[in-house]
Amino acid sequence: MNGFFKSFVLLHYPFRVFFWLTGIYGVVIVLAWMGYLFGGIPMAVSWSPLHWHSHEMLFGLVTPAIAGFMMTAMCNWTGAPPLRNGGLLALASLWVAGRIAMWLSGVLPILVIAIIDGLFLYVLAFYVLRVLLKYGNKRNLVLGAILLVLGLANTLMHTGFVTGAMNWLIKGQLLALNLIAFMMVVIGGRIIPLFTTNWFRREGLANGPSSFPLLEKITLLSTALLIPAEFSGVAWPIGGLALIAAVANGLRCFFWKGWHTGSEPLLWILHLGYFWIAIALLLKGLATFNLVASGAWLHAMGTGAMGTLILGFMTRVALGHTGRAMQLPDFAVVIYWCITLSASARVLAALQWVDYRWGLTIAAIAWTAAFALFAGLYWSIFTGPRVDGLPG
């Protein structure tokens, strides 16, 4: 058994298997959805197809990317050894089991589906919190707590489906969206200006990213307060907070000076992904006051911010943690062009500024191309040893 795991490099570090699974599922989920919408292909699910699609984009696609990033990053934060081999296989299998359960939701008992699909996030949160507490890393406990509440959001969606109370399903969906947005704001705020500052120094450029304590507090607080405000159901605090958070996140991103990084794709994609958060929050605020279509902010946050940052972080982390130079593989920049086209087309279609069918088709093709290219171009990276000979 040890010999098997030694040769199976995909299980040597969490980012390897979870990032690759994210790439593959990014292709599968959108092809299935487009087949249902435009191809007349039936879906053997007991959920409403729209809510099933929403659930799988949030809890099927985003969670393995979070798992791969967080379990890899916390090894740096704590000095703890990574989960690997049998333990990593077991955790990845929980995610796979959840996907199988959701795809067979028209066949399996609904309570069984809820239990199987719910396990992954709770087990992941328990593991992350246990490692952080063991190594005394209190600063990042908030991220472990977010995972735990994200598991609760998934449970709320299942509760809504099991009981027929659609309000709980919607609350679970919105809770997940706001939690993931807050996680992106926290992690992005730590990593993007750091990477940008280092790049400025290497390029010999002065006046790098700036940070202002008051702006940081307003950004984090307004984004965090959207989580409880959503449960109030009252328009003005939700819309008001969303607009404040949009301006704060937009200014934060502006002061990071990402426009200087146009020659470095691995960096400008992170700035672009973060800017999508500000756009999504702006649309959310406007939609709350019925000024734009309500679905626009969902796709700006999902396809724009989440899709772009997931691909941006995965393409970067995979290089750094396999000992490679920070340089994209040949043709990999097309991944970034495709996800940007996908996000733009999907939001424009949601705003009804372009033909809906054409906008959705372009968005789906570009999204599928982005994730397929990632899974294909990075396969040899995920399954090959580190180029510097170190473990990982």
Side-chain angles (χ1 to χ4, degrees):
M1 183 63 74
N2 289 334
F4 166 79
F5 285 126
K6 186 175 181 180
S7 61
F8 203 57
V9 182
L10 201 62
L11 294 174
H12 283 190
Y13 226 93
F15 75 89
R16 291 178 179 269
V17 63
F18 279 117
F19 284 1
W20 188 73
L21 287 172
T22 302
I24 293 298
Y25 203 57
V27 174
V28 171
I29 189 65
V30 169
L31 285 180
W33 183 238
M34 294 302 291
Y36 167 77
L37 284 181
F38 297 146
I41 301 174
M43 300 181 73
V45 298
S46 54
W47 288 49
S48 74
L50 180 62
H51 290 128
W52 180 90
H53 171 69
S54 172
H55 178 277
E56 285 306 282
M57 292 298 285
L58 287 169
F59 297 103
L61 178 70
V62 177
T63 56
I66 291 174
F69 174 82
M70 192 169 295
M71 288 198 296
T72 299
M74 73 180 187
C75 294
N76 293 336
W77 301 337
T78 64
L83 182 68
R84 60 195 313 171
N85 299 335
L88 184 54
L89 177 61
L91 186 60
S93 297
L94 273 182
W95 176 84
V96 172
R99 309 290 54 78
I100 293 172
M102 288 302 299
W103 281 77
L104 297 179
S105 62
V107 178
L108 298 174
I110 53 179
L111 283 176
V112 172
I113 297 165
I115 292 170
I116 293 174
D117 180 58
L119 276 174
F120 174 71
L121 275 171
Y122 288 124
V123 172
L124 175 63
F126 173 79
Y127 172 77
V128 168
L129 287 169
R130 185 176 69 86
V131 172
L132 292 175
L133 288 169
K134 180 180 178 181
Y135 286 84
N137 190 273
K138 296 181 180 179
R139 183 192 182 200
N140 291 300
L141 286 175
V142 63
L143 296 175
I146 290 174
L147 285 177
L148 200 58
V149 184
L150 195 57
L152 175 62
N154 190 20
T155 299
L156 286 177
M157 288 199 77
H158 281 284
T159 300
F161 175 71
V162 170
T163 63
M166 289 297 103
N167 62 313
W168 286 111
L169 192 151
I170 299 300
K171 285 183 183 295
Q173 173 186 301
L174 292 174
L175 177 59
L177 275 164
N178 288 322
L179 281 168
I180 295 168
F182 182 64
M183 183 177 286
M184 292 189 297
V185 168
V186 171
I187 295 175
R190 294 180 185 179
I191 291 176
I192 298 173
L194 174 63
F195 290 165
T196 307
T197 298
N198 292 339
W199 183 83
F200 264 71
R201 289 172 180 167
R202 286 196 302 271
E203 296 296 310
L205 299 175
N207 302 316
S210 302
S211 176
F212 303 95
L214 180 59
L215 178 60
E216 292 295 302
K217 291 177 182 177
I218 294 172
T219 301
L220 293 170
L221 185 61
S222 59
T223 309
L225 286 175
L226 273 171
I227 299 170
E230 200 78 64
F231 276 82
S232 72
V234 182
W236 70 263
I238 298 172
L241 280 169
L243 292 174
I244 293 170
V247 173
N249 278 285
L251 286 172
R252 192 190 202 197
C253 188
F254 173 79
F255 288 123
W256 291 342
K257 303 177 181 177
W259 62 86
H260 288 291
T261 65
S263 63
E264 180 47 78
L266 284 165
L267 202 48
W268 64 250
I269 193 64
L270 300 182
H271 287 269
L272 178 59
Y274 194 92
F275 188 63
W276 271 113
I277 299 175
I279 294 173
L281 291 169
L282 175 62
L283 292 172
K284 179 181 177 68
L286 295 176
T288 305
F289 298 114
N290 299 313
L291 297 174
V292 297
S294 59
W297 85 267
L298 297 172
H299 296 293
M301 188 67 77
T303 312
M306 295 178 193
T308 304
L309 284 175
I310 283 172
L311 287 169
F313 278 123
M314 291 195 306
T315 48
R316 185 182 184 100
V317 169
L319 295 175
H321 283 272
T322 55
R324 287 169 168 80
M326 283 299 167
Q327 183 175 352
L328 277 173
D330 292 340
F331 307 111
V333 72
V334 179
I335 297 170
Y336 301 162
W337 299 342
C338 285
I339 193 61
T340 302
L341 174 61
S342 177
S344 301
R346 189 65 189 87
V347 172
L348 290 174
L351 289 169
Q352 301 175 7
W353 292 357
V354 298
D355 177 79
Y356 180 79
R357 189 181 183 96
W358 276 107
L360 197 59
T361 301
I362 292 170
I365 292 172
W367 172 283
T368 303
F371 279 83
L373 278 169
F374 169 73
L377 292 174
Y378 274 72
W379 170 249
S380 61
I381 294 174
F382 292 138
T383 57
R386 286 182 60 112
V387 296
D388 55 12
L390 296 174

